[in-house]
C-alpha cells in the first residue's frame, strides 16, 4: 500500500478531495509554485528557493508534505525529543484524538511526571519523551488503539505522532513505505 493510500485512511471523508488536490499539485507543479500555493504547510521555510532545493535534493518528499498536511489539520502532533512545551500536552492531544475517533476513555499521565522525576529521566537526552510515549501507548493498547510515530527525516529533533485504532495502526506498520518512517513507540 502506498503512503498516499494510507494518508487517505487517516483523512476525514470531507477532506479527501483537498488531499488529492494537494498530491496532484506536489507532483505536477514546480516547487516554487507549490510553496506559494501552500504557505501553511511550508511555513518552516523562509524562501521558495530553499524549499525547491530540498525537494530537488529529495530532503522534502511527498511523504513529508503529507505528514505536514495531517499535522496542520490536527490529525498528527509534532513532539520535540527534548520534551513537551508543557506537561500533559501529549495527553491532551491524545484525548482530543480519542474523542474524535469515538473512544469512550482517556489517557492519564498525571502519575507519569512524578515517577519520571524519581527515575531521573531527562528531557535533554530524550529519555523523558521516549518513556512518556511508551506509557501513553501502553494505555492506548489496553483499549485497542496505538500511538504511532511518523518521521519525515528532515526534522531530526522532532517526531509526528498519531493515534489510530490498533488494526489501522498495524496496516501502517506493515506498509513499508520508504519516504516516511512509521514506527511504534518501542521502535522510535
Amino acid at each position: 500500500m502506498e503512503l498516499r493510500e494510507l494518508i487517505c485512511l487517516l483523512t476525514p471523508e470531507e477532506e479527501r478531495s483537498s488531499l488529492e488536490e494537494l498530491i496532484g499539485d506536489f507532483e505536477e507543479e514546480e516547487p516554487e509554485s507549490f510553496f506559494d500555493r501552500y504557505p501553511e504547510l511550508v511555513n518552516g521555510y523562509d524562501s521558495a528557493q530553499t524549499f525547491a532545493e530540498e525537494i530537488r535534493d529529495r530532503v522534502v518528499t511527498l511523504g513529508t508534505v503529507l505528514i505536514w498536511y495531517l499535522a496542520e489539520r490536527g490529525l498528527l502532533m509534532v513532539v520535540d525529543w527534548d520534551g513537551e512545551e508543557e506537561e500533559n500536552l501529549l495527553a491532551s492531544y491524545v484525548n482530543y484524538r480519542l474523542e474524535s475517533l469515538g473512544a469512550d476513555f482517556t489517557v492519564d499521565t498525571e502519575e507519569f511526571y512524578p515517577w519520571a522525576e524519581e527515575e531521573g529521566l531527562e528531557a535533554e537526552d530524550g529519555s523523558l519523551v521516549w518513556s512518556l510515549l511508551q506509557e501513553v501507548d501502553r494505555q492506548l493498547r489496553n483499549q485497542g488503539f496505538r500511538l504511532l510515530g511518523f518521521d519525515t527525516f528532515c526534522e531530526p529533533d522532532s517526531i509526528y505522532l498519531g493515534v489510530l485504532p490498533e488494526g489501522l495502526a498495524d496496516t501502517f506498520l506493515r506498509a513499508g513505505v520508504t519516504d516516511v518512517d512509521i514506527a511504534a513507540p518501542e521502535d522510535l
Side-chain angles (χ1 to χ4, degrees), residues 109-125:
T109 57
E110 289 294 326
E111 293 177 15
F112 170 81
Y113 295 98
W115 171 83
E117 190 172 323
E118 278 180 28
E119 293 294 315
L121 299 178
E122 298 286 332
E124 293 78 26
D125 67 6

Side-chain angles (χ1 to χ4, degrees), residues 101-176:
L101 292 168
D104 60 356
F105 74 98
T106 59
V107 298
D108 181 8
T109 57
E110 289 294 326
E111 293 177 15
F112 170 81
Y113 295 98
W115 171 83
E117 190 172 323
E118 278 180 28
E119 293 294 315
L121 299 178
E122 298 286 332
E124 293 78 26
D125 67 6
S127 62
L128 178 72
V129 171
W130 190 81
S131 294
L132 177 60
L133 298 179
Q134 297 287 317
E135 172 58 22
V136 169
D137 189 52
R138 183 191 63 75
Q139 290 182 40
L140 289 170
R141 287 181 98 166
N142 288 339
Q143 299 292 327
F145 288 85
R146 290 297 309 267
L147 183 68
L148 289 188
F150 299 81
D151 187 352
T152 63
F153 304 114
C154 68
E155 300 166 83
D157 296 334
S158 301
I159 190 84
Y160 289 81
L161 300 172
V163 176
L164 289 78
E166 200 157 18
L168 183 56
D170 290 342
T171 300
F172 271 76
L173 292 170
R174 286 191 311 268

Side-chain angles (χ1 to χ4, degrees), residues 170-185:
D170 290 342
T171 300
F172 271 76
L173 292 170
R174 286 191 311 268
V177 297
T178 57
D179 57 348
V180 173
D181 187 29
I182 303 170

Side-chain angles (χ1 to χ4, degrees), residues 60-80:
V60 173
T61 64
L62 177 59
T64 307
V65 170
L66 292 174
I67 297 303
W68 292 344
Y69 171 87
L70 292 175
E72 203 261 336
R73 283 167 173 67
L75 300 170
L76 297 179
M77 175 187 183
V78 182
V79 174
D80 287 334

